[in-house]
Amino acid sequence: MTSTRSATLFALALLAPALIYILTIVAYPLVDTIILSFTNASLRPDYDFVGWANYERIFGAGNFTDVIIRTFIWTFFSVALKMVIGMCGAVLLNAAIPGQTLFRILTMPPWIVPMAIGIFMWGWMYNGQFGMISGLLQNLGLTNGPIAFLAYGHTAFWATIVTDVWIGVPMVTIYFLAAMQSIPKDLHEAAWTDGAGRFYRFRRITVPLMIPAIVTMSLLSLIATFNSFDIIWILTQGGPSGSTTTMIIDTYKTAIGSRKYGEGAARAVVISIFVTIFCLVYFRAVRKLQQGEAK
């Protein structure tokens, strides 16, 4: 009995740091935010509980529905482009070509450069008066005058996606490259011996064996992109006219910009619900993949 009790106490002692971390860094702020979402908290020192009023207000306003739709569209195209470009990059880096090591090194700068610096660089390139992209288009005769990409809703929306893809592609590429290199070469050699071409081998061998890596990276990228704040805020701050306002930007503007902490907390809870759903989908997908591998 004594040995069992000692083992239990020792196990609890080992778990204590993780439990303390979860309770103080994750659980307490989450519970506090949920409680705050049911109040009319603002800059005033006192506030009252208002029940579901904040949720009724944000879902009753049509603009919040537009924000949710815009967030999913922004996330979908950003993640999809990162997956496709990352896969193409991994295939090229995995090929036996001269200067392979140099190309792998050149893939890393977007990931290594501090995010804020990279975003400011793209903001400079998007500038209509002295930006490189606008100047290049004019020199090629594709436009009659300067284009301020961040001044118009449709171009600003895609400009933020391009910037997010530029920052996220290196990680996806390296992850997929590692997954490709873990595939036994014997499989490709056997298929090549049987006369299978490169595309057939890629479609029948590489992609199926990379499904776990593809699913994991897609869902992790989905969660990170859904919560992306820095790129949009530095480039457009949600403008022009809200055309790049996503849920995280809308929450920040409400809670910090308008000082409506209760309503901002309600928006944060909605974001947390979506992220929780993504996490559940991720864990379910990983579990199915593990069960499939076990069979």
Side-chain angles (χ1 to χ4, degrees):
M1 182 66 69
T2 304
S3 60
T4 303
R5 183 178 301 175
S6 300
T8 303
L9 293 175
F10 181 70
L12 292 175
L14 293 176
L15 292 173
L19 291 174
I20 293 173
Y21 172 82
I22 293 174
L23 291 175
T24 57
I25 306 300
V26 180
Y28 171 74
L30 178 61
V31 173
D32 187 62
T33 300
I34 294 174
I35 295 174
L36 195 65
S37 69
F38 291 100
T39 69
N40 60 355
S42 61
L43 284 177
R44 296 176 302 172
D46 55 333
Y47 54 85
D48 301 316
F49 283 91
V50 294
W52 297 93
N54 289 326
Y55 294 94
E56 293 173 356
R57 187 178 298 109
I58 61 178
F59 283 107
N63 62 330
F64 188 70
T65 303
D66 295 337
V67 169
I68 294 177
I69 295 173
R70 187 182 304 114
T71 302
F72 276 93
I73 294 174
W74 192 86
T75 303
F76 171 78
F77 281 105
S78 181
V79 173
L81 287 172
K82 280 186 277 190
M83 293 301 108
V84 173
I85 298 175
M87 179 64 76
C88 294
V91 171
L92 293 174
L93 293 177
N94 193 46
I97 56 176
Q100 185 183 71
T101 303
L102 176 62
F103 287 122
R104 291 182 181 182
I105 294 174
L106 293 176
T107 305
M108 301 307 295
W111 196 20
I112 297 174
V113 172
M115 184 180 292
I117 295 176
I119 298 171
F120 277 116
M121 180 192 71
W122 277 97
W124 171 78
M125 290 195 294
Y126 290 140
N127 189 279
Q129 299 301 320
F130 51 81
M132 184 181 70
I133 299 177
S134 179
L136 180 62
L137 293 176
Q138 292 180 72
N139 292 333
L140 294 175
L142 299 177
T143 60
N144 296 324
I147 301 177
F149 291 93
L150 301 180
Y152 305 97
H154 59 287
T155 53
F157 182 82
W158 289 104
T160 55
I161 290 178
V162 169
T163 305
D164 182 69
V165 171
W166 179 80
I167 293 174
V169 159
M171 182 181 68
V172 178
T173 301
I174 299 301
Y175 190 85
F176 284 167
L177 177 61
M180 284 183 184
Q181 292 181 336
S182 67
I183 299 175
K185 294 183 179 180
D186 296 343
L187 297 176
H188 287 280
E189 293 174 354
W192 178 78
T193 303
D194 293 336
R198 291 184 179 180
F199 180 73
Y200 184 87
R201 281 179 282 154
F202 177 78
R203 185 165 58 92
R204 292 293 187 177
I205 298 176
T206 304
V207 173
L209 293 177
M210 285 185 60
I211 289 298
I214 294 172
V215 171
T216 299
M217 178 50 63
S218 298
L219 291 172
L220 291 178
S221 180
L222 175 68
I223 295 171
T225 304
F226 189 85
N227 285 319
S228 179
F229 174 83
D230 309 60
I231 295 171
I232 296 177
W233 186 255
I234 293 176
L235 287 177
T236 64
Q237 296 188 0
S241 301
S243 59
T244 58
T245 297
T246 57
M247 292 178 68
I248 195 73
I249 299 294
D250 180 63
T251 300
Y252 179 84
K253 286 184 175 182
T254 302
I256 307 301
S258 302
R259 304 295 192 272
K260 297 178 180 179
Y261 303 130
E263 190 173 337
R267 282 170 159 80
V269 170
V270 174
I271 294 175
S272 300
I273 293 173
F274 281 117
V275 173
T276 301
I277 293 173
F278 295 152
C279 291
L280 293 175
V281 171
Y282 168 71
F283 290 130
R284 183 178 179 84
V286 170
R287 190 180 302 111
K288 283 188 175 181
L289 290 173
Q290 291 175 344
Q291 291 174 352
E293 291 177 356
K295 293 179 181 179

